[in-house]
Amino acid sequence: MKKTIKKPSASGEKAVYSPLQPLPNPLPKGVSCLQNPIYNKGAAFTLAEREALSLQGLLPPRVYTPDEQVLRILSNFNKKPNDLERYIHMMGLQDRNETLFYKVVMDHIEEMMPIIYTPTVGRACQEYGSIFSRPRGIYISSRDRGRVKKILRNWQEKNVRMIVVTDGERILGLGDLGAQGMGIPIGKLALYTACAGIHPQVCLPITIDVGTNNETLLRDSLYTGLREPRLRGERYDELIEEFVQAVQEVFPKALIQFEDFGNQNAFRLLEKYQDKVCCFNDDIQGTAAVAAAGLFSVMGMIGSTIQKQRLLFLGAGEAGIGIAELFVEALAVEGVDREVARHQCWFMDSKGLIVRGRDNLTEQKLPFAHEHPACTDLLAAVEALKPTALIGVSGMPSSFTKPVVEAMARINKRPVIFALSNPTSKAECTASDAYTWSDGQAIFASGSPFGPVVHKGQTFVPGQGNNAYIFPGVGLGVAAVEARHVTQSMFLVAARALACQVDKNDLKQGRIYPSLKRIQEVSAHIAVAVAEEAYRLKLAAIPRPKNLPAYIASMMYKPEYPMFA
Ligand code: NAD
């Protein structure tokens, strides 16, 4: 696992210094080197390196190979009594030896993703106050108004290219976890590296602590954030504005990913900033693209077209509205009138079916409020609307009941059932429920992973509609060509690129997403499609490389130790 610092340009052009690389820093020596996770190789430092870096005597004499180190990590990982302990084990490794952490994660992505991200990261955020051991990322609080720029400058790396920021108000389907939501930006950025090879050092997790309305956390003596109610209104907007402007000045090439904001802020912030700075909201746009990709794959499986689909969403928040908006965009590209396309999307939220004339509908829900009698029962809505696809984004576990799934299977030969709510405990139904109750007819995808299900001797592999299929590739494409904005059309091309990566073998097993084992290759394809879109829209800030796929491939980080001597 040797790394050449100056890679030859795979694009066949003059060698370029990869803009997705950290700026060079002086190499620490001795104990400082061992305590720096960026440079530390632990017992894998060679004898020559030990001499050159003043490490002699500071390490056990035996020199390990990286593969032996991986074995040791995995052996300890497997001895841990539960997933939270496995999470803590992996975070400890990330804090000690970043290269080894990414080698383990990238080589065992299917096993590691549910630990470093959903569902385990949700539990970790809930417990953050007690498992917190070493800070990672930047915290900005409502007390920091007027000095956000100064805080950002405290970060050591100056070439930050990817920021994931949360205010902790809607962590997965778990609600307001305040400052303890920090586990999410950390986890998402680890996926940027693991899934799309974005160099870990150009990634920056940020939590904006504006208080919490979670009474349990406010009473918890170990809570990591400000013990005060959430900041709202003008003062909140001013803090976010200061943050966004500070990023433009301190990290002018950074892409900002808004993550797990409550929906009263998420839609507003996206609308306010999407055409002004380089940003997107993964809960709205990333989810939309992964769900759209799932629907595109389903069309390949059942030989139909998206024009013929009628979607019923349970949940009309960021995820649901985001999916519907992108679905409308996809139909519009096919020449369908947007108004007609919107009529193919129906929503039920906590107050029932969203219909025209219902009181207090938000701006986002209004375009999807169609003429229909009021209805508060999902089964009755399914019977009345006869959807081809039922999409769960409500955070309401077990809401896709047996009668609901049976009705979907009676109405459709191949009903589409997406139970996308995270973590697993919030899924609208399990994979086993969907396959069993539909007698093997359902095409199922979930947000958190479910294992394969055997029904009447046939094995079904559920799809995981994980945003990790989309956002890392989108981020790589945007960052590689320094796109000035992130557009809705980039998410549509990303969805199509993802669906194109599903092969006949996947479809045969009922799998509507490619295997996670191929995620880096898949992300590279998505990045190329997104970068092409940036050039089409004249949003790219760098001249078009002659060979775009090779250029993007050359940007991707590999978890390989550099040779220091
Ligand atoms: P949100 O808070 O913006 O929206 C939740 C919606 O669910 C609201 O419209 C609410 O009215 C509705 N709801 C609540 N109780 C309901 C009930 N009993 N019946 C019907 N509707 C009900 O949240 P969001 O960002 O849209 O996320 C929703 C869920 O989707 C979360 O669990 C989240 O983890 C999950 N999600 C999954 C993915 C993915 O798998 N790729 C991506 C994003 C979000």
Side-chain angles (χ1 to χ4, degrees):
M1 52 181 209
K2 276 190 186 174
K3 175 171 146 193
T4 40
I5 303 274
K6 273 194 179 172
K7 283 184 196 156
S9 164
S11 56
E13 291 159 81
K14 268 191 207 160
V16 277
Y17 189 73
S18 168
L20 289 180
Q21 292 284 323
L23 298 179
N25 272 310
L27 186 60
K29 285 190 164 190
V31 174
S32 314
C33 183
L34 295 182
Q35 288 175 349
N36 188 325
I38 296 165
Y39 302 101
N40 185 25
K41 302 184 182 187
F45 278 113
T46 63
L47 296 179
E49 286 174 325
R50 292 175 191 211
E51 192 176 339
L53 298 174
S54 311
L55 297 174
Q56 285 158 322
L58 301 180
L59 288 161
R62 154 100 190 268
V63 175
Y64 280 66
T65 65
D67 287 340
E68 286 169 332
Q69 288 186 301
V70 171
L71 272 183
R72 178 154 41 82
I73 295 297
L74 288 177
S75 141
N76 288 326
F77 179 90
N78 290 325
K79 282 185 207 143
K80 299 291 171 196
N82 56 50
D83 284 348
L84 185 62
E85 290 297 329
R86 283 185 261 277
Y87 174 90
I88 295 168
H89 176 61
M90 292 306 293
M91 291 304 110
L93 177 61
Q94 190 179 20
D95 288 341
R96 284 194 312 277
N97 182 337
E98 208 162 66
T99 315
L100 187 56
F101 169 79
Y102 282 109
K103 181 160 175 59
V104 173
V105 172
M106 289 163 98
D107 290 352
H108 302 85
I109 190 82
E110 282 182 308
E111 204 178 343
M112 293 296 156
M113 202 171 315
I115 303 298
I116 64 165
Y117 204 64
T118 181
T120 311
V121 71
R123 176 82 203 286
C125 289
Q126 289 171 314
E127 307 274 331
Y128 221 65
S130 54
I131 65 173
F132 179 86
S133 59
R134 185 178 167 149
R136 177 173 282 271
I138 280 188
Y139 290 88
I140 294 164
S141 88
S142 38
R143 311 249 163 94
D144 292 323
R145 282 184 56 198
R147 57 170 179 233
V148 175
K149 236 185 283 175
K150 197 169 160 208
I151 290 176
L152 294 183
R153 289 201 172 106
N154 286 342
W155 191 248
Q156 188 191 349
E157 176 56 49
K158 303 304 169 204
N159 187 30
V160 169
R161 303 301 301 279
M162 205 61 68
I163 288 174
V164 177
V165 59
T166 189
D167 74 355
E169 186 168 10
R170 198 242 59 191
I171 296 300
L172 304 173
L174 300 170
D176 183 352
L177 297 184
Q180 299 198 168
M182 183 53 126
I184 297 291
I186 292 174
K188 283 247 153 147
L189 286 164
L191 296 186
Y192 266 111
T193 303
C195 301
I198 308 257
H199 198 293
Q201 279 167 263
V202 302
C203 296
L204 172 56
I206 297 184
T207 286
I208 301 188
D209 182 0
V210 285
T212 178
N213 293 343
N214 182 326
E215 292 296 331
T216 313
L217 290 179
L218 288 172
R219 282 194 304 267
D220 181 350
S221 57
L222 296 178
Y223 175 57
T224 57
L226 293 181
R227 289 156 176 276
E228 57 193 37
R230 274 191 177 272
L231 188 68
R232 300 278 187 212
E234 243 173 67
R235 285 169 62 82
Y236 174 90
D237 287 356
E238 282 164 12
L239 182 65
I240 302 291
E241 173 68 11
E242 184 182 341
F243 161 72
V244 171
Q245 293 314 328
V247 169
Q248 305 317 301
E249 206 173 312
V250 182
F251 304 123
K253 289 186 177 181
L255 162 59
I256 302 174
Q257 173 175 326
F258 291 106
E259 183 69 34
D260 285 2
F261 282 69
N263 71 31
Q264 59 170 305
N265 290 321
F267 287 111
R268 274 184 332 108
L269 296 178
L270 181 62
E271 200 172 316
K272 179 168 176 188
Y273 292 113
Q274 66 185 346
D275 297 330
K276 292 202 182 99
V277 301
C278 186
C279 72
F280 71 95
N281 180 305
D282 187 51
D283 307 299
I284 300 172
Q285 298 168 290
T287 307
V290 82
L295 288 173
F296 294 147
S297 294
V298 169
M299 297 306 105
M301 193 185 274
I302 65 175
S304 185
T305 62
I306 52 166
Q307 286 91 322
K308 293 191 183 144
Q309 305 311 305
R310 184 194 287 254
L311 317 183
L312 174 57
F313 294 86
L314 188 73
E318 296 167 51
I321 299 284
I323 298 169
E325 290 286 1
L326 197 65
F327 179 74
V328 169
E329 190 72 30
L331 287 181
V333 169
E334 300 291 324
V336 179
D337 179 79
R338 282 174 192 275
E339 200 42 43
V340 173
R342 283 190 197 105
H343 270 82
Q344 290 176 229
C345 302
W346 290 79
F347 282 92
M348 275 197 100
D349 63 8
S350 53
K351 298 196 181 84
L353 197 62
I354 294 186
V355 291
R356 191 158 295 169
R358 209 182 93 176
D359 288 345
N360 301 325
L361 287 177
T362 60
E363 202 185 312
Q364 292 76 32
K365 294 178 186 178
L366 273 175
F368 298 101
H370 312 307
E371 284 302 343
H372 198 280
C375 169
T376 51
D377 176 51
L378 179 61
L379 179 58
V382 168
E383 296 288 6
L385 298 168
K386 303 203 177 346
T388 56
L390 189 56
I391 301 180
V393 274
S394 62
M396 281 293 128
S398 310
S399 43
F400 292 174
T401 59
K402 188 165 184 251
V404 166
V405 174
E406 283 173 346
M408 284 296 290
R410 186 170 25 80
I411 295 164
N412 302 284
K413 206 165 147 204
R414 301 298 311 273
V416 175
I417 311 269
F418 288 178
L420 296 181
S421 288
N422 290 322
T424 319
S425 60
K426 301 282 180 186
E428 283 78 7
C429 69
T430 65
S432 169
D433 293 342
Y435 294 123
T436 312
W437 295 339
S438 68
D439 198 19
Q441 285 171 248
I443 301 171
F444 177 82
S446 55
S448 297
F450 284 102
V453 174
V454 179
H455 176 74
K456 293 190 176 164
Q458 197 180 341
T459 303
F460 296 90
V461 185
Q464 194 196 345
N466 192 323
N467 295 26
Y469 279 116
I470 290 288
F471 69 81
V474 170
L476 177 62
V478 167
V481 301
E482 297 178 22
R484 281 183 282 273
H485 305 301
V486 186
T487 63
Q488 185 78 332
S489 65
M490 289 179 188
F491 284 94
L492 196 53
V493 299
R496 291 223 177 266
L498 174 57
C500 284
Q501 293 300 307
V502 183
D503 60 30
K504 279 195 186 132
N505 227 354
D506 293 320
L507 293 178
K508 229 181 182 168
Q509 295 177 67
R511 203 210 290 265
I512 56 171
Y513 296 103
S515 163
L516 270 179
K517 287 190 186 124
R518 293 181 46 224
I519 188 75
Q520 287 145 42
E521 179 197 338
V522 168
S523 297
H525 278 282
I526 292 174
V528 172
V530 168
E532 291 283 14
E533 183 65 5
Y535 283 109
R536 190 184 71 82
L537 297 172
K538 302 195 172 19
L539 286 174
I542 63 161
R544 195 181 190 292
K546 272 191 211 117
N547 183 340
L548 190 58
Y551 174 73
I552 284 179
S554 75
M555 302 265 140
M556 293 172 75
Y557 164 87
K558 304 226 170 11
E560 296 169 350
Y561 288 135
M563 293 309 290
F564 296 123

